């Protein structure tokens, strides 16, 4: 396997795959990348809660590359990519086990949304809302990579619906930390705040992306209406 050292080379060998571009994080924060045959792997420490190893390419090349990279970077890294490929890796790479399937969604156009959402000055009230409405969120105030929060607020400035710009890469902005107060649900506020953040990310990065549980049909429908397309992905992990 050969190490890839620049964003330009990575774009070339990966065909501009947005999952790879996002995982690379602009080659900051200790990110490293490799290629073998037609496969590409990017090791990203502490990105969206986990040490991630994004992998794309033909199965045969990806198996050898994944095994080699895991030997280099260690067992904390979780292979991540298209579901079919990750299932094959879990079967063929010694020590790997399949963890979970979910969705990657991305969009490259500014959505047409009327919204009162805006970026917040700081993160006051965000942790309280997440604790109440979305305690399993990956994005939390103060976590490295979580950059800023947007919100739809009530008449007294209280947070009703929030979303974060978190772990964004130069060419792929990332939306996370979506939560709506229970008393404000059913009013389209999540669509408003996600539409605002999506528009901001597309304008700045050219593409917006997010991850979503495959069973969360309501959220997926909202993101589809904002112009996102769905990609089946999955993660594996090294068995203890």
């Amino acid at each position: 396997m050969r190490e890839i050292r620049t964003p330009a080379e990575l774009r070339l060998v990966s065909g501009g795959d947005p999952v790879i571009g996002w995982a690379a994080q602009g080659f900051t924060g200790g990110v490293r990348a490799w290629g073998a045959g037609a496969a590409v792997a990017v090791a990203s420490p502490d990105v969206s809660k986990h040490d991630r190893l994004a992998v794309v390419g033909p199965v045969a090349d990806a198996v050898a590359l994944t095994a080699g990279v895991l030997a280099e970077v260690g067992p904390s890294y979780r292979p991540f990519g298209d579901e079919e490929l990750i299932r094959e890796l879990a079967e063929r790479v010694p020590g790997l086990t399949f963890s979970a399937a979910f969705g990657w969604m991305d969009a490259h156009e500014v959505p047409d949304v009327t919204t009162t959402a805006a970026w917040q000055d700081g993160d006051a009230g965000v942790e309280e809302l997440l604790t109440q409405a979305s305690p399993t969120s990956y994005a939390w105030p103060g976590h490295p990579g979580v950059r800023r929060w947007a919100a739809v607020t009530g008449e007294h400035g209280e947070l009703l619906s929030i979303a974060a710009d978190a772990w964004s890469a130069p060419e792929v902005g990332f939306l996370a930390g979506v939560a709506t107060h229970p008393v404000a649900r059913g009013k389209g506020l999540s669509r408003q705040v996600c539409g605002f953040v999506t528009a901001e990310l597309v304008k700045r990065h050219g593409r917006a992306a997010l991850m979503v549980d495959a069973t969360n049909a309501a959220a997926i429908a909202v993101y589809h209406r904002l112009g996102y397309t769905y990609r089946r992905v999955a993660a594996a992990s090294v068995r203890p």
Side-chain angles (χ1 to χ4, degrees), residues 15-53:
D17 188 294
V19 169
I20 292 294
W22 170 72
Q25 295 285 297
F27 277 75
T28 61
V31 170
R32 298 175 67 190
W34 297 263
V40 177
V42 177
S44 306
D46 197 20
V47 172
S48 188
K49 194 178 180 179
H50 297 292
D51 292 341
R52 296 186 181 272
L53 180 62

Side-chain angles (χ1 to χ4, degrees), residues 140-152:
W140 287 81
H143 192 288
V146 179
R147 297 175 180 174
R148 52 184 176 167
W149 294 87
V152 175

Side-chain angles (χ1 to χ4, degrees), residues 144-168:
V146 179
R147 297 175 180 174
R148 52 184 176 167
W149 294 87
V152 175
T153 58
E155 59 180 320
H156 302 297
E158 68 275 19
L159 302 182
L160 299 178
S161 190
I162 59 173
D165 169 2
W167 305 292
S168 289

Side-chain angles (χ1 to χ4, degrees), residues 130-222:
L130 288 172
T131 300
Q132 183 174 21
S134 186
T136 60
S137 172
Y138 281 13
W140 287 81
H143 192 288
V146 179
R147 297 175 180 174
R148 52 184 176 167
W149 294 87
V152 175
T153 58
E155 59 180 320
H156 302 297
E158 68 275 19
L159 302 182
L160 299 178
S161 190
I162 59 173
D165 169 2
W167 305 292
S168 289
E171 297 176 0
V172 184
F174 202 71
L175 185 155
V178 179
T180 299
H181 197 286
V183 301
R185 290 174 181 166
K187 301 177 182 179
L189 300 187
S190 178
R191 183 173 183 270
Q192 281 196 43
V193 73
C194 290
F196 171 79
V197 174
T198 298
E200 293 288 296
L201 294 177
V202 169
K203 290 173 186 176
R204 182 170 182 174
H205 302 277
R207 184 179 298 272
L210 56 91
M211 288 188 230
V212 63
D213 288 339
T215 58
N216 194 343
I220 292 170
V222 168

Side-chain angles (χ1 to χ4, degrees), residues 43-98:
S44 306
D46 197 20
V47 172
S48 188
K49 194 178 180 179
H50 297 292
D51 292 341
R52 296 186 181 272
L53 180 62
V55 185
V56 297
V59 172
D61 292 340
V63 167
L65 179 59
T66 300
V69 172
L70 286 173
E72 177 87 10
V73 299
S76 69
Y77 283 81
R78 294 162 52 97
F80 159 64
D82 289 318
E83 182 179 349
E84 184 176 353
L85 175 60
I86 296 302
R87 289 190 181 278
E88 291 285 352
L89 294 180
E91 290 289 330
R92 301 189 190 194
V93 176
L96 272 190
T97 185
F98 187 85

